[in-house]
C-alpha cells in the first residue's frame, strides 16, 4: 500500500514537472522570430531520436525512486532510501540528463532556437542547483554512502560501474 501511495505522489509530481517544462518550452517559442538562428527541418528526426531515450530515462529514474528509494523525484518529497541502482549506477544525475536530452530533442523537433537556448539555460541552472543544494543535502542525509558513490560515479558523463567482484 505504501508503494502505491508513493507511486501516486511520484506520478503527480512528475506530471507537474513535465507540464511546467512543457509550458516553458511552448512559451519560449514566441522568441523564435527574434533569434536569427534557423534550425533546419531535417533536425526533426534527430529530435525524435533524442526525445525517446530521454523520456524513457526519466521514467526509469522515477521508477527507481518509487521502488527502491521509497520516495519521489521532487526535492521536497525525496527518496527515503539512497538509490544507486538502475540508471543511477552509471551517472549521478540521470533524471536531469534524461530531461535535458528530451528538451533538446523537443527543441530540434520543433525547430525552435528558443527551446534550444532554454535547454542550455536549464542545464546551467541544474548544475548550480546540484552543486549548491542537492549534493550537500544528499551528503547530509546519506553520509558516507553518498560520498563513496560520488567518488565512483560521474555527475554527467555515464560510465560503466566498477565490477563488484
Amino acid at each position: 500500500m505504501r508503494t502505491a501511495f508513493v507511486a501516486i505522489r511520484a506520478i503527480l509530481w512528475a506530471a507537474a514537472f513535465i507540464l511546467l517544462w512543457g509550458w516553458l518550452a511552448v512559451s519560449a517559442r514566441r522568441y523564435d522570430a527574434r533569434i536569427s538562428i534557423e534550425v533546419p527541418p531535417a533536425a526533426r528526426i534527430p529530435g525524435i531520436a533524442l526525445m525517446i531515450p530521454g523520456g524513457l530515462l526519466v521514467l526509469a529514474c522515477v521508477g527507481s525512486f518509487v521502488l527502491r528509494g521509497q520516495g519521489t523525484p521532487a526535492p521536497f518529497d525525496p527518496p527515503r532510501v539512497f538509490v544507486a541502482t538502475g540508471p543511477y549506477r552509471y551517472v549521478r544525475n540521470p533524471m536531469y540528463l534524461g530531461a535535458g536530452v528530451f528538451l533538446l530533442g523537443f527543441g530540434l523537433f520543433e525547430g525552435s532556437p528558443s527551446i534550444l537556448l532554454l535547454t542550455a539555460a536549464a542545464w546551467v541552472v541544474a548544475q548550480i542547483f546540484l552543486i549548491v543544494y542537492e549534493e550537500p543535502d544528499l551528503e547530509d542525509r546519506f553520509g558516507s554512502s553518498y560520498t563513496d558513490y560520488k567518488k565512483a560515479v560521474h555527475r554527467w558523463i555515464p560510465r560503466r560501474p566498477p565490477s563488484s567482484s
Side-chain angles (χ1 to χ4, degrees), residues 10 12 17-18 31 36 44 54 74 83 85 91 96 109 121 129 137 139 143 146 149-150 154 162 165:
L12 290 173
F17 185 77
I18 290 166
Y31 299 106
S36 60
R44 290 178 68 87
V83 176
T85 60
V91 65
Y96 293 108
F109 179 79
F129 177 74
D137 178 63
E139 285 178 17
Y146 183 73
Y149 172 73
K150 235 171 102 167
H154 291 172
S165 53

Side-chain angles (χ1 to χ4, degrees), residues 5 23 35 38 48-49 51 54-55 60 71 86-87 89 98 105 108 111 121-122 146 155 157 162-164:
F5 181 65
W23 175 77
I35 298 172
E38 188 172 321
I48 292 169
M51 286 191 299
R89 287 185 63 208
L108 291 172
Y146 183 73
R155 182 182 289 143
I157 301 170
S163 97
S164 56

Side-chain angles (χ1 to χ4, degrees), residues 93 96 121-135 155-156:
N93 301 293
Y96 293 108
W123 206 271
V124 170
V125 169
Q127 177 75 4
I128 293 167
F129 177 74
L130 286 165
I131 292 168
V132 171
Y133 172 75
E134 191 167 280
E135 289 182 351
R155 182 182 289 143
W156 293 118

Side-chain angles (χ1 to χ4, degrees), residues 37-59:
I37 300 170
E38 188 172 321
V39 179
R44 290 178 68 87
I45 303 231
I48 292 169
L50 290 171
M51 286 191 299
I52 292 169
L56 291 173
L57 182 55
V58 169
L59 289 174

Side-chain angles (χ1 to χ4, degrees), residues 61-121:
C61 293
V62 172
S64 293
F65 275 10
V66 169
L67 298 174
R68 299 264 185 189
Q70 301 170 15
T72 76
F76 48 84
D77 187 14
R80 277 79 175 148
V81 176
F82 179 60
V83 176
T85 60
Y88 292 90
R89 287 185 63 208
Y90 304 98
V91 65
R92 286 198 318 256
N93 301 293
M95 188 163 321
Y96 293 108
L97 190 59
V101 167
F102 184 90
L103 193 57
L104 174 65
F106 185 64
L108 291 172
F109 179 79
E110 289 293 315
S112 172
S114 298
I115 294 174
L116 296 175
L117 289 172
L118 173 66
T119 303

